[in-house]
Amino acid sequence: MSRTDAERQGAEKIHLHQGFCAAAASPDATAQKALRDLYLPDAVAHISHPLNDIGGATAIEQKLWTPLRSSFTRLERTHTMIAAGSFAGFDMVAILGHYRGVFISDWLGIPATNKATWLRFGEVHRLDGGRIAESWILIDILDLMRQAGFWPLAPSLGAEGLWPAPAAGGDMSLSGVDADQGRTSLDLVLAMHAGLLSFDGKNLDSMDIARFWTPGFAWYGPSGIGTTFGLEGFRRHHQIPFLVAFPDRKGGQHICRIGDGPFVVTGGWPSVTATHTGDGFLGMPATGRKVGMRVMDFYRCEGELIAENWIPIDIINLLLQMGYDVFGRLAHLRGAPKDSL
């Protein structure tokens, strides 16, 4: 990467950081201007279910931003990681963070609590001329249901709770783009991915992934799976149930793959495809259905090892493909069950 590329992408990180924060916390007119400055008019957004695909900057504002701003007072958008780089010939900026505010009005059928609420998200944005041409946005809507007191699934195997910011003095990195260290970090993560895909179907050690992680690495899963620490916790609370449920899974179908200093971001829409042939994952019996998983991975590397991994996944969309309608269950729990087929 040339110095000019690094400088441009560093400026793009700052532009998106400032613009999104202004769009969340500013009065309506200022927020609308910030969004117009961020998006190209014909931008496309791919968002967690039930929002899904939205075409055009005006529609993105009306279907995502306006309802969100109406449902939360004292709304702020906080960023815990920002990384930038090039993938498939495009500038990409990826952001991990939270919306936080007081949940005052129902959103997507989820009942307001009038309490402080944190809505976590992961995003990848493809830029054209410094403005967003295409976005992939994973909002942990299931975690908002949890905070609202309406849990529609079996208990999570991992620990539920807020995702922390990067540890060990790591920050969200607005100080330009470090492509050299980023390339080293990305190579480490991709080597670990190759290990995951080398599973022989019988022995977890066939993947040989322990050598890529710090001994007590943190794996911050989405709501429904939860957080685990260390290889033992990762295997017990996520990897084994996942492999049992999806033994033929295929990954790496990425729309983004970038490294920026110690941070790496990959993701796909879907990133993983599989057939659901085993019991237990998310408390579900096998369905035999083919599914595609909208997944992002945000990594922090520490030296030559991976220390932390945040994993936004569209769990609600995955469950819908498995025949389970989370929003239908939520409506039933709220006193509006279906009364006909």
Side-chain angles (χ1 to χ4, degrees):
M1 175 186 289
S2 70
R3 180 177 175 82
T4 301
D5 289 337
E7 290 175 345
R8 182 186 67 251
Q9 292 172 359
E12 288 168 346
K13 287 200 292 187
I14 293 172
H15 175 58
L16 264 63
H17 167 65
Q18 294 175 338
F20 278 126
C21 289
S26 300
D28 287 346
T30 304
Q32 290 166 2
K33 181 181 185 306
L35 289 169
R36 287 195 296 270
D37 289 343
L38 286 169
Y39 286 98
L40 291 170
D42 59 351
V44 176
H46 313 281
I47 310 174
S48 302
H49 184 77
L51 294 170
N52 298 305
D53 297 335
I54 302 175
T58 299
I60 295 169
E61 179 182 341
Q62 292 174 346
K63 294 181 180 181
L64 172 62
W65 281 92
T66 299
L68 188 65
R69 285 168 52 83
S70 297
S71 293
F72 293 85
T73 189
R74 303 187 183 280
L75 184 66
E76 293 184 18
R77 177 172 156 129
T78 61
H79 296 159
T80 56
M81 185 190 301
I82 302 181
S86 299
F87 182 70
F90 296 105
D91 283 356
M92 312 288 289
V93 175
I95 306 174
L96 182 74
H98 294 82
Y99 292 97
R100 66 180 188 183
V102 181
F103 190 15
I104 61 166
S105 179
D106 293 6
W107 186 60
L108 301 176
I110 302 169
T113 63
N114 289 297
K115 295 180 180 180
T117 303
W118 288 260
L119 186 59
R120 59 196 182 198
F121 66 84
E123 299 174 347
V124 172
H125 304 284
R126 177 175 65 82
L127 305 185
D128 183 357
R131 297 171 71 190
I132 298 170
E134 190 168 15
S135 294
W136 295 265
I137 303 170
L138 287 177
I139 302 172
D140 201 334
I141 296 168
L142 185 60
D143 190 59
L144 181 61
M145 293 182 188
R146 179 187 68 83
Q147 293 177 71
F150 287 86
W151 185 248
L153 306 179
S156 301
L157 299 182
E160 294 285 357
L162 283 176
W163 282 347
D171 61 22
M172 63 182 178
S173 185
L174 283 173
S175 57
V177 172
D178 185 343
D180 291 336
Q181 184 184 358
R183 192 172 300 109
T184 299
S185 301
L186 179 59
D187 288 345
L188 170 64
V189 167
L190 294 180
M192 186 274 295
H193 285 183
L196 289 172
L197 295 176
S198 66
F199 180 47
D200 65 3
K202 300 175 182 178
N203 188 341
L204 293 175
D205 290 335
S206 66
M207 289 179 274
D208 192 24
I209 62 169
R211 60 196 173 98
F212 297 110
W213 299 87
T214 61
F217 72 87
W219 191 90
Y220 305 113
S223 194
I225 300 175
T227 289
T228 73
F229 293 146
L231 185 60
E232 184 178 71
F234 172 67
R235 285 177 168 176
R236 287 176 173 176
H237 304 314
H238 172 63
Q239 190 178 40
I240 291 173
F242 185 81
L243 290 174
V244 168
F246 305 107
D248 68 344
R249 91 269 190 259
K250 294 180 176 61
Q253 301 159 82
H254 291 152
I255 48 88
C256 177
R257 193 183 298 146
I258 58 175
D260 184 354
F263 302 128
V264 172
V265 184
T266 65
W269 208 269
S271 177
V272 178
T273 53
T275 310
H276 183 218
T277 56
D279 297 338
F281 184 68
L282 301 173
M284 292 283 291
T287 64
R289 299 188 180 200
K290 295 187 180 299
V291 299
M293 305 176 200
R294 303 166 174 176
V295 182
M296 294 175 189
D297 278 275
F298 290 75
Y299 299 91
R300 182 182 68 83
C301 301
E302 196 172 278
E304 297 180 355
L305 297 172
I306 304 167
E308 296 180 284
N309 184 192
W310 297 258
I311 310 92
I313 303 176
D314 193 346
I315 294 290
I316 295 176
N317 174 260
L318 173 59
L319 284 166
L320 188 62
Q321 295 174 72
M322 292 157 62
Y324 183 78
D325 182 359
V326 170
F327 281 96
R329 179 70 171 178
L330 174 65
H332 195 124
L333 292 173
R334 294 195 66 189
K338 292 181 179 179
D339 54 14
S340 72
L341 292 175

